[in-house]
Amino acid sequence: MSALQTLERRTISKISWRLLPLIVIIYFVAYIDRTNVSFAALTMNKDLGLSSYVFGLGAGIFFLGYFLFEIPSNVILEKVGARIWIARIMITWGLVSGATALATGPASFLTLRFLLGVAEAGFFPGMILYFTYWFPKAYRARVISALFIAVPGSNAVAAVISGAVLEMDGLLRLTGWQWMFIVEAVPAVLLAFAVLVLMTDRPAVASWLEPAEREWLEGALQEERRHIETSGHLSLFQALTDARVLILSLIYLTIVTATYGITFFLPQIVKGIGLSNMMTGLVTAIPYTIGTIGMLLWGASSDRHDERRWHFCIAGVLAAVGLVGAGLFGSSFLALAFMSVATIGLYGSKPAFWPMPSLFLTGTAAAGGIAMVNSIGNLGGYVGPFIVGWIKDRTGSFEAGLYFLAVCALASGIIAYFAVQSSTAAKYRSDVATPAE
């Protein structure tokens, strides 16, 4: 191994150990606070008089607030730095999440969920942008895979914790679901101060890197930016209207619709088997645990074959098959097995997707473009729960709603195959097929 290779490995290892554990934990907490409403629904819906339709609207309206404020939030992060802006996001989302315990009816519930989306807006695309400051493209997809472990992992842990906290019903005259919102909001506020201490905005100010390490990293990243910009430097407006950004937004919209349509209703589907709140939490954790393992294996396969596009497409098909099977078998343990198949596909698709925007976007264009993809895609988090809740109220079951989500998952794979191939396939095949993810 050459001295340069040794320097590269040492630098990337040091950055990874410094930044990744903190970022993964933060995203872990963020995901719990945006989705724990699915467990609160087991008792909250009756207390607040929420129908499945209104609950689905409230679960999804979070993403409407996210959508409206995500692009400006990410642009601000690029200007003022990740450390201060991420800490600000965490404090505000923690306070609003805890305040959801104060909801007294449909109107206050919907308002607080919308404000939670406003508060958290920009966090996830901010992290994707932040990775472009620290990791060359050969490592970026692998890092994103590590980040996405937090998604199914947080759902699994939240299922167990939320089921247990719901049993605190009556303590200090608060209901179990009120305790759940309060207890699970505290880590976000506390971790904001850890961000201020541990997170570093750019390599140039990283005192914990040796001069040679900083020089190598800044040189590698600058060379990549120069290579990308040889084909044209995009302005913020050009990035927001670029065909590649719009295609990626549409792909992400469909897969997110399927993902969140499940996330917010899975505890209620499992509860239909006839389990207690505690057992519902434990059993709900099963598909997410399997999804985490499957995502890691899927990412390893993608790395081993140096291939991304087919892995994304097949993941979409796998998710569709799982959702159809879950719909066919209703509230049963066999349906739970199919739901586990669905989570493998839903979560396995994400790490293959997110390296794509940074292949042709840099600087402010990257901040806006990544936020654009995520904000449009996250509207699926509004559409999925809304439609599933509406179908549940109209039909009395989740079956047709699961079929709708299956169509969305399948559509994501189909769109990725045809649209990406026709517009940017050559670039994706050559650049995305790196020893990453």
Side-chain angles (χ1 to χ4, degrees):
M1 183 183 298
S2 68
L4 183 60
Q5 289 175 318
T6 301
L7 175 63
E8 177 178 348
R9 290 195 176 188
R10 185 176 74 241
T11 304
I12 295 299
S13 176
K14 188 178 290 188
I15 295 169
S16 298
W17 283 108
R18 171 81 181 200
L19 300 179
L20 283 183
L22 176 64
I23 291 173
V24 170
I25 290 172
I26 293 170
Y27 193 41
F28 191 94
V29 171
Y31 217 80
I32 288 177
D33 285 344
R34 71 166 64 169
T35 62
N36 58 7
V37 69
S38 64
F39 299 97
L42 298 175
T43 56
M44 178 189 68
N45 284 6
K46 182 178 179 181
D47 291 347
L48 300 184
L50 306 180
S51 65
S52 294
Y53 169 80
V54 173
F55 169 75
L57 178 62
I61 205 170
F62 163 92
F63 297 99
L64 184 58
Y66 208 107
F67 169 78
L68 293 174
F69 291 89
E70 187 162 8
I71 293 176
S73 177
N74 222 34
V75 172
I76 292 173
L77 182 147
E78 203 270 336
K79 298 296 184 183
V80 306
R83 187 177 68 91
I84 292 176
W85 196 246
I86 292 299
R88 192 285 304 165
I89 289 174
M90 294 178 66
I91 290 172
T92 52
W93 105 49
L95 293 176
V96 175
S97 181
T100 309
L102 303 176
T104 58
S108 56
F109 172 68
L110 293 174
T111 300
L112 286 164
R113 286 293 297 177
F114 176 81
L115 291 176
L116 181 61
V118 173
E120 195 190 316
F123 173 73
F124 175 77
M127 289 298 91
I128 299 297
L129 179 65
Y130 186 66
F131 288 155
T132 68
Y133 301 159
W134 288 92
F135 294 95
K137 69 177 182 180
Y139 299 91
R140 207 165 289 157
R142 191 182 320 171
V143 170
I144 292 171
S145 295
L147 176 64
F148 267 101
I149 292 175
V151 178
S154 64
N155 282 328
V157 172
V160 176
I161 294 176
S162 298
V165 175
L166 286 175
E167 298 299 317
M168 295 171 61
D169 191 63
L171 181 64
L172 299 181
R173 298 184 179 180
L174 295 175
T175 63
W177 62 266
Q178 288 176 310
W179 274 116
M180 190 203 70
F181 283 122
I182 294 170
V183 169
E184 294 178 359
V186 171
V189 177
L190 296 180
L191 281 170
F193 297 97
V195 167
L196 290 173
V197 174
L198 298 175
M199 185 173 280
T200 307
D201 285 332
R202 301 271 186 165
V205 294
S207 60
W208 42 272
L209 285 177
E210 297 176 7
E213 294 168 343
R214 285 197 300 270
E215 183 178 351
W216 170 82
L217 180 61
E218 291 186 296
L221 293 172
Q222 181 60 39
E223 179 60 31
E224 287 185 3
R225 286 191 290 269
R226 189 179 301 113
H227 174 72
I228 292 171
E229 291 172 2
T230 54
S231 59
H233 178 76
L234 298 181
S235 66
L236 176 60
F237 176 77
Q238 288 172 326
L240 298 181
T241 56
D242 189 274
R244 294 165 295 185
V245 172
L246 298 177
I247 288 171
L248 292 176
S249 299
L250 181 59
I251 294 170
Y252 201 53
L253 172 67
T254 49
I255 197 66
V256 168
T257 298
T259 302
Y260 280 110
I262 284 298
T263 300
F264 288 116
F265 284 97
L266 184 55
Q268 295 180 59
I269 295 172
V270 172
K271 179 77 171 179
I273 299 176
L275 305 176
S276 66
N277 288 336
M278 175 71 79
M279 285 305 299
T280 295
L282 292 172
V283 172
T284 300
I286 294 174
Y288 294 125
T289 302
I290 293 174
T292 302
I293 297 170
M295 182 179 67
L296 294 174
L297 294 175
W298 202 259
S301 172
S302 182
D303 280 347
R304 187 167 58 252
H305 295 92
D306 284 342
E307 197 285 321
R308 311 302 177 195
R309 177 166 153 266
W310 272 107
H311 277 77
F312 180 88
C313 295
I314 294 173
V317 173
L318 189 66
V321 171
L323 291 167
V324 169
L328 289 173
F329 293 100
S331 292
S332 67
F333 286 103
L334 185 56
L336 194 69
F338 274 101
M339 200 70 76
S340 299
V341 173
T343 58
I344 294 172
L346 292 171
Y347 295 121
S349 66
K350 304 302 196 309
F353 175 84
W354 272 113
M356 296 180 183
S358 61
L359 295 174
F360 57 93
L361 297 172
T362 62
T364 303
I370 291 170
M372 176 83 163
V373 172
N374 194 60
S375 62
I376 292 178
N378 269 342
L379 286 178
Y382 174 80
V383 173
F386 175 83
I387 292 183
V388 171
W390 178 78
I391 292 175
K392 171 64 165 58
D393 278 348
R394 293 293 297 268
T395 65
S397 77
F398 288 104
E399 181 179 354
L402 290 171
Y403 295 153
F404 163 75
L405 299 180
V407 170
C408 292
L410 183 61
S412 71
I414 293 174
I415 295 170
Y417 177 78
F418 287 105
V420 171
Q421 183 183 49
S422 63
S423 61
T424 53
K427 185 171 183 58
Y428 287 161
R429 280 198 296 269
S430 61
D431 287 352
V432 180
T434 60
E437 199 165 58

mmCIF file of all heavy atoms in Angstrom, residues 392-410:
data_model
loop_
_atom_site.group_PDB
_atom_site.id
_atom_site.type_symbol
_atom_site.label_atom_id
_atom_site.label_comp_id
_atom_site.label_asym_id
_atom_site.label_seq_id
_atom_site.Cartn_x
_atom_site.Cartn_y
_atom_site.Cartn_z
ATOM 1 N N LYS A 392 -59.155 3.263 4.363
ATOM 2 C CA LYS A 392 -59.549 2.506 5.563
ATOM 3 C C LYS A 392 -60.935 2.928 6.030
ATOM 4 O O LYS A 392 -61.792 2.093 6.374
ATOM 5 C CB LYS A 392 -58.521 2.738 6.679
ATOM 6 C CG LYS A 392 -58.918 2.193 8.053
ATOM 7 C CD LYS A 392 -59.059 0.679 8.060
ATOM 8 C CE LYS A 392 -59.096 0.130 9.486
ATOM 9 N NZ LYS A 392 -60.189 0.686 10.313
ATOM 10 N N ASP A 393 -61.207 4.234 6.049
ATOM 11 C CA ASP A 393 -62.531 4.711 6.469
ATOM 12 C C ASP A 393 -63.621 4.286 5.491
ATOM 13 O O ASP A 393 -64.749 3.967 5.900
ATOM 14 C CB ASP A 393 -62.522 6.236 6.597
ATOM 15 C CG ASP A 393 -61.948 6.707 7.929
ATOM 16 O OD1 ASP A 393 -61.780 5.865 8.831
ATOM 17 O OD2 ASP A 393 -61.649 7.914 8.064
ATOM 18 N N ARG A 394 -63.307 4.253 4.209
ATOM 19 C CA ARG A 394 -64.317 3.909 3.204
ATOM 20 C C ARG A 394 -64.595 2.416 3.144
ATOM 21 O O ARG A 394 -65.735 2.002 2.869
ATOM 22 C CB ARG A 394 -63.863 4.405 1.819
ATOM 23 C CG ARG A 394 -63.802 5.911 1.686
ATOM 24 C CD ARG A 394 -65.200 6.545 1.770
ATOM 25 N NE ARG A 394 -66.057 6.114 0.691
ATOM 26 C CZ ARG A 394 -66.183 6.750 -0.465
ATOM 27 N NH1 ARG A 394 -65.473 7.848 -0.684
ATOM 28 N NH2 ARG A 394 -67.006 6.294 -1.395
ATOM 29 N N THR A 395 -63.590 1.590 3.349
ATOM 30 C CA THR A 395 -63.746 0.142 3.166
ATOM 31 C C THR A 395 -63.754 -0.638 4.477
ATOM 32 O O THR A 395 -64.185 -1.796 4.490
ATOM 33 C CB THR A 395 -62.607 -0.406 2.288
ATOM 34 O OG1 THR A 395 -61.350 -0.260 2.977
ATOM 35 C CG2 THR A 395 -62.542 0.336 0.957
ATOM 36 N N GLY A 396 -63.263 -0.038 5.545
ATOM 37 C CA GLY A 396 -63.227 -0.742 6.825
ATOM 38 C C GLY A 396 -62.015 -1.638 7.003
ATOM 39 O O GLY A 396 -61.894 -2.327 8.016
ATOM 40 N N SER A 397 -61.090 -1.653 6.024
ATOM 41 C CA SER A 397 -59.882 -2.468 6.153
ATOM 42 C C SER A 397 -58.715 -1.764 5.465
ATOM 43 O O SER A 397 -58.902 -0.797 4.729
ATOM 44 C CB SER A 397 -60.085 -3.851 5.530
ATOM 45 O OG SER A 397 -60.014 -3.792 4.117
ATOM 46 N N PHE A 398 -57.521 -2.315 5.714
ATOM 47 C CA PHE A 398 -56.317 -1.739 5.116
ATOM 48 C C PHE A 398 -55.953 -2.408 3.788
ATOM 49 O O PHE A 398 -54.970 -2.005 3.156
ATOM 50 C CB PHE A 398 -55.135 -1.897 6.082
ATOM 51 C CG PHE A 398 -55.207 -1.000 7.290
ATOM 52 C CD1 PHE A 398 -55.576 -1.502 8.530
ATOM 53 C CD2 PHE A 398 -54.927 0.346 7.174
ATOM 54 C CE1 PHE A 398 -55.633 -0.681 9.640
ATOM 55 C CE2 PHE A 398 -54.985 1.188 8.283
ATOM 56 C CZ PHE A 398 -55.350 0.666 9.521
ATOM 57 N N GLU A 399 -56.699 -3.392 3.350
ATOM 58 C CA GLU A 399 -56.313 -4.193 2.200
ATOM 59 C C GLU A 399 -56.108 -3.352 0.939
ATOM 60 O O GLU A 399 -55.035 -3.389 0.316
ATOM 61 C CB GLU A 399 -57.359 -5.282 1.919
ATOM 62 C CG GLU A 399 -56.996 -6.167 0.735
ATOM 63 C CD GLU A 399 -58.032 -7.256 0.486
ATOM 64 O OE1 GLU A 399 -58.962 -7.380 1.298
ATOM 65 O OE2 GLU A 399 -57.902 -7.978 -0.528
ATOM 66 N N ALA A 400 -57.112 -2.583 0.542
ATOM 67 C CA ALA A 400 -57.009 -1.787 -0.687
ATOM 68 C C ALA A 400 -55.907 -0.729 -0.556
ATOM 69 O O ALA A 400 -55.228 -0.412 -1.536
ATOM 70 C CB ALA A 400 -58.348 -1.132 -1.006
ATOM 71 N N GLY A 401 -55.716 -0.202 0.655
ATOM 72 C CA GLY A 401 -54.660 0.772 0.869
ATOM 73 C C GLY A 401 -53.285 0.171 0.631
ATOM 74 O O GLY A 401 -52.396 0.821 0.066
ATOM 75 N N LEU A 402 -53.096 -1.077 1.051
ATOM 76 C CA LEU A 402 -51.820 -1.754 0.828
ATOM 77 C C LEU A 402 -51.583 -1.997 -0.653
ATOM 78 O O LEU A 402 -50.446 -1.911 -1.132
ATOM 79 C CB LEU A 402 -51.790 -3.070 1.609
ATOM 80 C CG LEU A 402 -51.711 -2.922 3.138
ATOM 81 C CD1 LEU A 402 -51.920 -4.280 3.822
ATOM 82 C CD2 LEU A 402 -50.380 -2.324 3.554
ATOM 83 N N TYR A 403 -52.649 -2.287 -1.389
ATOM 84 C CA TYR A 403 -52.494 -2.475 -2.837
ATOM 85 C C TYR A 403 -52.080 -1.166 -3.503
ATOM 86 O O TYR A 403 -51.266 -1.150 -4.439
ATOM 87 C CB TYR A 403 -53.799 -2.977 -3.451
ATOM 88 C CG TYR A 403 -54.216 -4.345 -2.973
ATOM 89 C CD1 TYR A 403 -55.571 -4.727 -2.963
ATOM 90 C CD2 TYR A 403 -53.278 -5.266 -2.523
ATOM 91 C CE1 TYR A 403 -55.955 -5.973 -2.528
ATOM 92 C CE2 TYR A 403 -53.664 -6.523 -2.078
ATOM 93 C CZ TYR A 403 -55.004 -6.865 -2.074
ATOM 94 O OH TYR A 403 -55.384 -8.106 -1.633
ATOM 95 N N PHE A 404 -52.646 -0.053 -3.038
ATOM 96 C CA PHE A 404 -52.256 1.260 -3.563
ATOM 97 C C PHE A 404 -50.763 1.515 -3.321
ATOM 98 O O PHE A 404 -50.038 1.965 -4.209
ATOM 99 C CB PHE A 404 -53.088 2.366 -2.909
ATOM 100 C CG PHE A 404 -52.510 3.743 -3.077
ATOM 101 C CD1 PHE A 404 -52.597 4.406 -4.294
ATOM 102 C CD2 PHE A 404 -51.871 4.379 -2.021
ATOM 103 C CE1 PHE A 404 -52.051 5.676 -4.451
ATOM 104 C CE2 PHE A 404 -51.329 5.638 -2.170
ATOM 105 C CZ PHE A 404 -51.413 6.291 -3.391
ATOM 106 N N LEU A 405 -50.295 1.197 -2.121
ATOM 107 C CA LEU A 405 -48.881 1.388 -1.797
ATOM 108 C C LEU A 405 -48.005 0.474 -2.644
ATOM 109 O O LEU A 405 -46.892 0.853 -3.035
ATOM 110 C CB LEU A 405 -48.639 1.123 -0.310
ATOM 111 C CG LEU A 405 -49.403 2.035 0.661
ATOM 112 C CD1 LEU A 405 -49.078 1.657 2.105
ATOM 113 C CD2 LEU A 405 -49.087 3.505 0.409
ATOM 114 N N ALA A 406 -48.494 -0.728 -2.936
ATOM 115 C CA ALA A 406 -47.741 -1.655 -3.790
ATOM 116 C C ALA A 406 -47.564 -1.076 -5.185
ATOM 117 O O ALA A 406 -46.487 -1.189 -5.793
ATOM 118 C CB ALA A 406 -48.459 -2.999 -3.858
ATOM 119 N N VAL A 407 -48.601 -0.439 -5.698
ATOM 120 C CA VAL A 407 -48.513 0.191 -7.024
ATOM 121 C C VAL A 407 -47.466 1.302 -7.008
ATOM 122 O O VAL A 407 -46.675 1.451 -7.950
ATOM 123 C CB VAL A 407 -49.889 0.749 -7.446
ATOM 124 C CG1 VAL A 407 -49.759 1.605 -8.699
ATOM 125 C CG2 VAL A 407 -50.870 -0.390 -7.680
ATOM 126 N N CYS A 408 -47.430 2.066 -5.921
ATOM 127 C CA CYS A 408 -46.444 3.151 -5.810
ATOM 128 C C CYS A 408 -45.024 2.592 -5.806
ATOM 129 O O CYS A 408 -44.130 3.124 -6.478
ATOM 130 C CB CYS A 408 -46.695 3.956 -4.537
ATOM 131 S SG CYS A 408 -48.225 4.910 -4.561
ATOM 132 N N ALA A 409 -44.795 1.519 -5.030
ATOM 133 C CA ALA A 409 -43.461 0.917 -4.960
ATOM 134 C C ALA A 409 -43.031 0.392 -6.323
ATOM 135 O O ALA A 409 -41.889 0.572 -6.753
ATOM 136 C CB ALA A 409 -43.450 -0.208 -3.924
ATOM 137 N N LEU A 410 -43.959 -0.290 -7.009
ATOM 138 C CA LEU A 410 -43.659 -0.814 -8.334
ATOM 139 C C LEU A 410 -43.379 0.316 -9.318
ATOM 140 O O LEU A 410 -42.458 0.232 -10.142
ATOM 141 C CB LEU A 410 -44.829 -1.660 -8.834
ATOM 142 C CG LEU A 410 -44.645 -2.346 -10.195
ATOM 143 C CD1 LEU A 410 -43.473 -3.321 -10.156
ATOM 144 C CD2 LEU A 410 -45.930 -3.072 -10.596
#
